[in-house]
Amino acid sequence: MTATLMPKSETTTATLSRRESQVMDILHRRSGATVAEIMADLPDPPTYSAVRSVLRILGEKELITHREDGPRYIYYPAKPTETAREDVLAHVVRTYFGDSPEQAVTALLRMSDVDLSDADVKRLRSTIRRARQSGR
C-alpha cells in the first residue's frame, strides 16, 4: 500500500483527528477563539497545554492563523467558513454519494423529513438555475 502525501494546504477534515475536528468546528462556529473559549466548548476538555498542542498541529497543517490580543492569542480558521463548508460538502458528495449532487440532495431531503414551503421550493429552483447558468 502506498501512502499519498497531501500538501498542507489541501488537508481536509478526513485527515484530522477527532480533537482537531472539534477545535476546527469551534473556530468556525465562533469565528475565532482563545484557548480558554475552545476549552469551554470542548466536550470532556483536555488540559490547556493539550489544546495548545492541537492548535500547534492545526497551525502546522496551515488550517488556522492567530493574532495577539494583549497577553493572549486568538485563533481563527485559515479559510473562510464558507470556503471550508464547500470543501467539506464536496468531500462528502464525492466520498459518500459517488460524486452525485442529486443523490446528496435527495438524502438531505429524506433525512430532514421536511415539508418545504412554496417559497423554499422557489428559492431552491432559483439557486439551481443560477448554478446551471454559471456552469456549476
Side-chain angles (χ1 to χ4, degrees):
M1 185 166 114
T2 318
T4 303
L5 295 178
M6 185 178 301
K8 289 180 186 175
S9 61
E10 293 181 25
T11 303
T12 67
T13 56
T15 62
L16 299 180
S17 71
R18 178 181 56 87
R19 214 37 121 177
E20 291 168 351
S21 291
Q22 289 171 335
V23 169
M24 288 304 300
D25 290 348
I26 291 166
L27 293 177
H28 279 289
R29 192 172 52 252
R30 285 179 163 266
S31 300
T34 64
V35 173
E37 291 168 335
I38 292 167
M39 288 178 70
D41 285 3
L42 280 172
D44 189 30
T47 63
Y48 182 90
S49 60
V51 173
R52 289 288 311 259
S53 182
V54 170
L55 290 165
R56 179 186 50 75
I57 292 166
L58 290 171
E60 290 171 358
K61 292 180 178 183
E62 299 178 358
L63 294 174
I64 65 169
T65 61
H66 69 275
R67 72 172 173 81
E68 289 184 48
D69 183 34
R72 64 189 184 159
Y73 287 103
I74 301 177
Y75 297 89
Y76 300 92
K79 287 184 183 179
T81 299
E82 176 79 16
T83 303
R85 182 183 303 143
E86 290 173 5
D87 291 349
V88 169
L89 191 53
H91 171 76
V92 168
V93 170
R94 205 172 34 255
T95 304
Y96 299 102
F97 296 99
D99 217 8
S100 169
E102 178 188 358
Q103 287 181 17
V105 169
T106 300
L108 283 171
L109 292 172
R110 281 187 186 142
M111 76 179 231
S112 61
D113 197 25
V114 295
D115 185 23
L116 295 174
S117 70
D118 289 342
D120 291 336
V121 171
K122 186 176 180 179
R123 278 192 301 276
L124 283 170
R125 283 186 177 139
S126 176
T127 301
I128 291 167
R129 193 173 18 265
R130 283 193 311 272
R132 282 182 175 164
Q133 289 170 350
S134 69
R136 295 211 252 165

